Amino acid sequence: MVLFPNCKINLGLHITRKREDGYHDLETVFYPIGIKDVLEIIQAPNPEEPFSFSNTGLAIQGNPTDNLCAKAYQLLKKDYPQMPSIQMHLHKQIPMGAGLGGGSADGAFALKLLNQLFHLDISEEQLIQYALALGSDCPFFIINQACLGKGRGEILERLTLDLSQYHFLIVNPGIHIATGWAFSQITPKPIEHSLVS
């Protein structure tokens, strides 16, 4: 089974405070964009085979077991041990370190794909909680429509926002910026005007 995880843009971003858990409270509008990765999951032909993850396309740095797609499988496997071993392949096209949420999308779509493929009957609300365990942006991709995001980004309110009459130009200068570093450079301040007021 194959799904096509899409990226997102943030229409405005307020960073309101640094939390005791190290994360930041924010307000933003998440909006899905049609640049996509390709994620395929199949059941391993031999039940005794261990889980495997591979990727093509853009090079992904780090240990493959740290990829959010692999973590999504391990997360569900804990609660659904009957889930068989799988082979997972990711073709990476969304630029990394660009604020587009590509890795978050891949992890969230892996949860959705596993839920569909193995008929786990996990509700959307449960999927959002699993996604939050993967990362702050991940819950948005479970809903995957325009949302006002608050808290770490996991408090989501669906918005009636249709920008289909507009064309988006996404420019990738090839500069990788780590999210943690970027947030550490910000001085939080209270919101003067909400993005949706």
Side-chain angles (χ1 to χ4, degrees), residues 7 9 37 48 114 116-117 121 133 161 187:
C7 66
I9 56 173
D37 290 337
E48 303 304 315
L114 291 164
Q116 292 175 36
L117 184 59
D121 298 321
L161 178 62
T187 301

Side-chain angles (χ1 to χ4, degrees), residues 9 21 24 27 29 33 60 62 78 96 102 164 172 178 189:
I9 56 173
D21 61 9
H24 289 77
E27 181 191 70
V29 173
I33 296 292
I60 301 174
K78 277 189 214 169
M96 291 158 279
S164 58
N172 176 21
K189 61 181 181 178

Side-chain angles (χ1 to χ4, degrees), residues 86-99:
I86 62 166
Q87 295 175 350
M88 181 184 291
H89 183 79
L90 175 66
H91 182 71
K92 191 70 184 156
Q93 300 182 118
I94 300 171
M96 291 158 279

